[in-house]
Amino acid sequence: MHEEFPTETPAVVTCGLPYANGDLHVGHLRTYVSGDVYARALDRIGQNVAFVCGSDMHGTPIAVNAAEEGVDPETFARRYHEQYEETFPEFNVEFDNYGHTHDETNTEMTRSFVRSWIDNDHVFEKEIQVAWDAETDQPLPDRFVEGTCPYCGEKARGDECDEGCQRHLEPGEIEDPISTITGNAAEYRTRPHKFLRLSDFQEYLQEFIDRLEGTDNAKNQPREWIEGELQDLCITRDMEWGIDYPGEEEEDLVLYVWVDAPIEYVSSTKQYTERVGAEEYDWEAVWKNHGTETEPDGGEIVHVIGHDIIQHHTVFWPAMLRGTDFNEPRAVMACGFVNLDGKAFSTSRNRAVWASDYVDSGLDPDLYRYHIVTGSEFTADVNFSWDGLQERVNNELVGTLGNFLYRSLLFAERNYGGTPDAGVSEEVEARIETAIEAFGEAVNDYRVRGLGRVPVELAKFGNEYIQRNEPWKLVDDEPEAAAQVIRDCVQLAKAIAVLMEPVLPGKAEALWNQLGEDGDIGDVDVETALSAPKATFEEPEELFEQIEDDRVEELNRQLQERIEAATADEAEGSRDANASETDEDTAADLEPIADDRVSFEEFKELDIRVGEIVSAEPIEGADKLAKLEVDIGLETRQIVAGIKQLHDLEALPGTRIVVVANLEKSELFGVESDGMLLAAGEEADLLTTRGDAEPGTKVQ
Ligand SMILES: [Zn+2]
């Protein structure tokens, strides 16, 4: 059991590193905003905390895209790194340190981690099958190869099954590998590689997972992996871009990107200490192990990530830390994704609200922060839309929060020149104490959304309080009672300023200034919510303004036009070469027509027939395959086809299809396949006949 926040020991909050491979959109920003909110909230409750991150510069997608653009990977990645450094502050995301994985600190830190794994005998060498492009005679690490996930049968890219079961894939695991360099089928060749023996940490990880705090998805999802047999992690790749493996003579091996990426959390914290001094913040107190070998201890390490990288942070990463006798994560907070108008973002189709679009809209960054933080539970997917933003802003920020603040502060300034001379009432003091408690509980329960709700709930109370007491009716006849109500309202406003700072830092600062308070609101702690307000302050201004309908219509129109333009471009084949490949719907990208022509004679060698499906059943143990009996007139054939998940097998008998009848026989999953059915695209749209051609009729 961990001690509650705030603790004596310092804490660090990290965010999953952005991959320096493309522009950021408002979907990406959810993790960073959430991390920023959480770190600010820890700070408010008096926790010594650093908030760090950095750009992930290595790995194959960057190498692939840099090569396509004809620049070296470092130049390519640095451009995005610099862009990210500028973008985060535009959303009030303020890291204490923002480094990158290719800098000297991280290169040294990574190599020292790996050296200590070697010294502690957790690394071994093994010959493995590596995908290889025969035409260009080069190995195909990670994203240079695409194929089928061996676990779920979905299309998988390199080291992850990003469209299917989300599993990490080891080299050699991907089935039916295709080279992304030439589009050819890849071969597998034997190469020696280095492995981190994860099985050394199995027992440790099983205990670790019981200690781990954070969101339920992060605590539960890893159990399946940790309780089963742990597969050792290949930590090297055959490529040049990356951090060199620190061993003896393996000069053509670099470390796998998932080795040096999380180590950047440590490196970035170290850089922060180097800047402010260990007196103020000591990275070693946080990261080094000050406990025992089986139960490491140190500072409070909190990782904020997207839920697609839970395995990396709850299995690989704690093992990597343990292997070098460092402290372990206290909590992992895994947030859901962001959808755009109810559908996934698609950067390749330009179906995205880019960070720069939001900035250009002129809307305050705090509005986005509020929308994304309170739009759903942290672990659930959240929807971004301009209409949704408008609704939340107009109803909650303008209608509830802004309304309470403006009416009460205006009344206070007009009638009393500031805060009336009275003490705060017991009722209001107790209500603020409840809010402070709820705030502290949200921090300790890792509920980011709760942090956004607290100030709005308090404002709701304020509106109800002022309505119930009607100070405008009291002011002439019962001046003391009126002063009491307004005194309470100013206290509520001050409490709201403090409690809204994590989610709405810019607006909180503005409110702080309106209240005539000195200093930076980022330096006060939650108890300040109960300290006496300043006696005088200026006439307030409205903190939030309505987003008008025509503004939203304009923003929607711009987005729609862009999506349409991108779709048209795509149809003409002039798709942006830099488009990120992380989207779900690239399936519509058409392959170019084959260059090589075949003669009619060659075509005639294929014996293509009309067939009728007699029966269709799944093949046990195979994710995609189905066994069909197909009547092709002269005989009935057994054909194996990868359509199990794509069609309702029971509905198929009686369906006319088209079959290549003279293909060599093959065996798939131990089942003989005598022929091949024709189907279009990844959804396996079955080819059929338009008229009533009988089974066995030749297709020509
Ligand atoms: Zn999968």
Side-chain angles (χ1 to χ4, degrees), residues 32 59 104 114 129 133 144 186 193 207 216 256 273 310 515 545 631 648 674 690:
Y32 308 103
E104 210 179 296
V114 177
Q129 298 289 305
D133 190 311
F144 284 105
H193 274 277
E207 287 168 15
D216 286 343
Y256 178 41
T273 295
I310 289 176
L515 286 164
E545 55 181 73
D631 174 7
D648 175 7
D674 185 7
R690 186 162 171 267

Side-chain angles (χ1 to χ4, degrees), residues 19-22 56-78 80 138-144 180-181 237-242 254 257 577-578:
Y19 194 61
N21 190 33
D56 183 355
M57 308 279 277
H58 296 137
T60 48
I62 284 170
V64 170
N65 287 340
E68 267 179 23
E69 208 178 276
V71 296
D72 65 282
E74 181 166 357
T75 307
F76 181 90
R78 231 170 229 288
Y80 286 108
Q138 69 181 100
L140 298 169
D142 303 329
R143 285 289 175 118
F144 284 105
T180 61
I181 298 172
R237 292 294 187 267
D238 295 291
M239 58 189 289
E240 280 168 21
W241 177 236
V254 298
V257 62
N578 291 326

Side-chain angles (χ1 to χ4, degrees), residues 148-156 160-169 623:
T148 306
C149 172
Y151 298 100
C152 71
E154 287 294 317
K155 187 176 173 203
E160 65 171 325
C161 179
D162 58 350
E163 289 176 20
C165 62
Q166 309 274 326
R167 263 176 204 266
H168 165 80
L169 299 177
D623 290 324

